[in-house]
Amino acid sequence: MRNSFLSFFVVAFFMMSLSTSARAETFYGYLNGAQESPPVATTATGYCRVFVNESTMTLNFTLVYNGLTSAQILSHIHAPGAIGANGPVAIDFGTAGGTSGTITGTRSITPTQLSQLRQHLGYCNVHSSNFTGGEIRGQLGTKRPVDFDGDGRNDYSVLRFPTGPPRPISYWNLNSTVGPQVMGPWGEASTDFPAPGDWDGDGIDDLAYFRAGVAAAPQGAFWIFKSSNATVQYYAWGTTGDLQIARDYDGDGITDPAVMRRGPVGSQAVWYIRQSSNGTARIVAFGTSGATANDQDFPVPGDYDGDGKFDIAVYRAGVLTPSNTYIVLRSSDGQTSYQTFGNFVSDYILPGDYDGDGKYDYAVGRTGALATSPMVWWIMNSGNGSLRVQQFGITSDFPAQGDYDGDARTDIAVVRETGTTTAPTNFWVYNSFTNTTTVQTWGVAADFAVNTFDIR
């Protein structure tokens, strides 16, 4: 339909046995004074990463703060407490002192507290001697995509392709804490597609791509440059024609290699997932194969039930019934839910957690008749079932939803390419915390915006 890049989702199926890891569900918070209630005028910032092992009911945490107006005196997780509301102390992180510092440790967590974190009802708070009630605060939410510095905010990221052949790829990332990062050349533009995710479980997205299989060499693979130790990891997975859908399906904080395989017209599609928690393959028949490019079930994985695991899900388009419907296989109870929403002929399919309750919302971006026609976002909030309608962007833009302001809510965002292939590209973001728009120039029109990886 609208995006030719969908045709690049191709991989191969092959099982590899690798080491397993303990489950460590991850939560992130970006800390600043604006999120305090009431807000605090400070230039200090920080971030908090929390790794929860549900089998032992323990959490490991890393808390970083910078530029406090006075020495740090306390730090905690407070819960329950929604955005803008204050809550009681739930878990103490301790004191390191100074105006900048890092605190790490291990604590116990109760089932109630874990449930609150999954609902995004917990926040990290750093207290200073000038602001004893808290100088910087950050709402804890689940892992943000395209976050290469692990501070709980989406980064701006593009792939740059030189003229060729060969056409090696370079990653150009504008990280929200450390600034520009250039990595490469690495990969091949004719076969590779970005596969952002935390593949090693260190809380930071890895530079990764998926190499498509071709008729002469059908084996596909994921290639990952691991942020934890600067080594390359390789997963052979899928076969020619598969769709790449790597996400965290087992809730252990590590991205799982995954593909969706379509079959003959009218047959069931099959999902192949290599679970990082135990190294086994999970094979699930879900979805229906159609006859044309727009007459298909399109994979739209997300955590729709708020249990910390990505759910297998499709958006049904074309003449298939029920048409224009989100169909979700919930990981929490194994049941299937249906929600008719949007129209694939005119809409981008854009799931995300726009209301910040820990559950993915059904969302679409509706295009118009002309390239300059407004794009209108329609979002069904999972928290209360209400409908949000927001005009943002124009029809020629590419949606790039993500949490750019670090408030644990998905922001409406687009990538705008104008002029020639060397003209600058602009990211336009409607910040959910302030309801204001920011514009960030990054990359040129000939680049591919990694932030668009999750649209259909």
Side-chain angles (χ1 to χ4, degrees):
M1 176 212 132
R2 301 151 304 277
N3 298 45
S4 61
F5 80 78
L6 292 179
S7 63
F8 288 97
F9 277 8
V10 189
V11 278
F13 175 60
F14 178 77
M15 183 64 191
M16 289 185 66
S17 62
L18 294 169
S19 61
T20 62
S21 61
R23 177 172 181 183
E25 193 174 337
T26 55
F27 302 90
Y28 295 71
Y30 170 71
L31 281 62
N32 59 15
Q35 293 188 67
E36 291 286 353
S37 182
V40 169
T42 179
T43 59
T45 60
Y47 61 85
C48 180
R49 300 181 198 147
V50 175
F51 303 81
V52 178
N53 187 329
E54 191 176 12
S55 64
T56 61
M57 294 308 294
T58 57
L59 65 82
N60 294 322
F61 69 90
T62 296
L63 173 67
V64 176
Y65 57 92
N66 295 288
L68 297 176
T69 61
S70 58
Q72 181 259 354
I73 58 171
L74 298 168
S75 57
H76 314 96
I77 290 179
H78 295 245
I83 295 173
N86 291 320
V89 172
I91 299 172
D92 177 55
F93 282 169
T95 303
T99 57
S100 298
T102 300
I103 306 174
T104 61
T106 301
R107 302 288 187 269
S108 60
I109 185 171
T110 69
T112 298
Q113 290 168 342
L114 177 55
S115 176
Q116 291 166 345
L117 293 188
R118 287 174 174 166
Q119 298 174 69
H120 295 187
L121 292 177
Y123 61 90
C124 286
N125 204 12
V126 175
H127 308 250
S128 67
S129 56
N130 282 348
F131 297 95
T132 56
E135 182 167 345
I136 55 174
R137 162 180 167 165
Q139 202 73 21
L140 286 167
T142 49
K143 176 74 176 69
R144 281 65 150 174
V146 197
D147 180 7
F148 294 102
D149 50 8
D151 72 337
R153 293 181 291 175
N154 277 60
D155 302 321
Y156 303 99
S157 182
V158 298
L159 300 186
R160 182 152 296 172
F161 313 114
T163 57
R167 298 180 63 205
I169 297 170
S170 294
Y171 271 85
W172 292 67
N173 303 320
L174 182 58
N175 294 339
S176 48
T177 57
V178 299
Q181 173 197 42
V182 181
M183 194 276 182
W186 194 49
E188 169 56 44
S190 62
T191 58
D192 300 346
F193 190 84
D198 184 3
W199 292 84
D200 53 9
D202 67 345
I204 302 173
D205 266 13
D206 304 300
L207 300 172
Y209 61 79
F210 170 72
R211 176 158 295 172
V214 296
Q219 180 69 67
F222 292 91
W223 291 81
I224 302 102
F225 186 81
K226 297 166 66 175
S227 58
S228 58
N229 57 15
T231 62
V232 175
Q233 189 168 23
Y234 166 88
Y235 295 92
W237 201 255
T239 192
T240 303
D242 291 349
L243 307 181
Q244 186 274 109
I245 46 170
R247 304 292 191 275
D248 182 10
Y249 294 92
D250 52 7
D252 67 346
I254 299 174
T255 300
D256 304 314
V259 298
M260 173 181 160
R261 182 172 303 167
R262 293 191 177 121
V265 174
S267 67
Q268 277 201 303
V270 180
W271 296 53
Y272 294 88
I273 302 168
R274 181 200 178 277
Q275 300 188 130
S276 54
S277 57
N278 56 21
T280 63
R282 179 185 175 196
I283 303 173
V284 181
F286 195 80
T288 301
S289 304
T292 67
N294 290 343
D295 178 29
Q296 299 277 1
D297 280 359
F298 293 86
V300 287
D303 186 4
Y304 294 90
D305 54 6
D307 68 345
K309 304 176 185 177
F310 270 73
D311 302 312
I312 292 172
V314 298
Y315 187 86
R316 180 158 294 172
V319 299
L320 300 174
T321 56
S323 186
N324 296 315
T325 298
Y326 279 90
I327 306 175
V328 179
L329 177 61
R330 300 191 300 265
S331 57
S332 58
D333 59 10
Q335 300 300 304
T336 301
S337 60
Y338 297 80
Q339 179 62 58
T340 299
F341 195 76
N343 188 325
F344 195 71
V345 174
S346 58
D347 299 347
Y348 287 100
I349 313 305
L350 307 171
D353 184 9
Y354 296 87
D355 57 3
D357 67 346
K359 299 178 182 180
Y360 266 45
D361 307 311
Y362 305 117
V364 300
R366 185 152 297 166
T367 59
L370 303 175
T372 55
S373 298
M375 184 180 297
V376 181
W377 296 61
W378 296 70
I379 302 167
M380 180 180 290
N381 293 318
S382 56
N384 56 19
S386 64
L387 183 65
R388 175 187 175 191
V389 181
Q390 180 75 52
Q391 180 177 312
F392 193 79
I394 58 178
T395 292
S396 57
D397 294 337
F398 293 97
Q401 72 274 22
D403 184 8
Y404 295 87
D405 58 6
D407 68 346
R409 291 180 289 191
T410 299
D411 301 314
I412 293 171
V414 298
V415 176
R416 182 167 299 171
E417 300 173 352
T418 57
T420 65
T421 57
T422 58
T425 290
N426 289 319
F427 288 77
W428 291 68
V429 179
Y430 187 76
N431 298 289
S432 55
F433 189 73
T434 59
N435 293 323
T436 59
T437 299
T438 57
V439 182
Q440 176 65 57
T441 300
W442 188 248
V444 297
D447 297 337
F448 178 87
V450 178
N451 302 65
T452 66
F453 84 102
D454 203 22
I455 68 175
R456 298 290 184 264

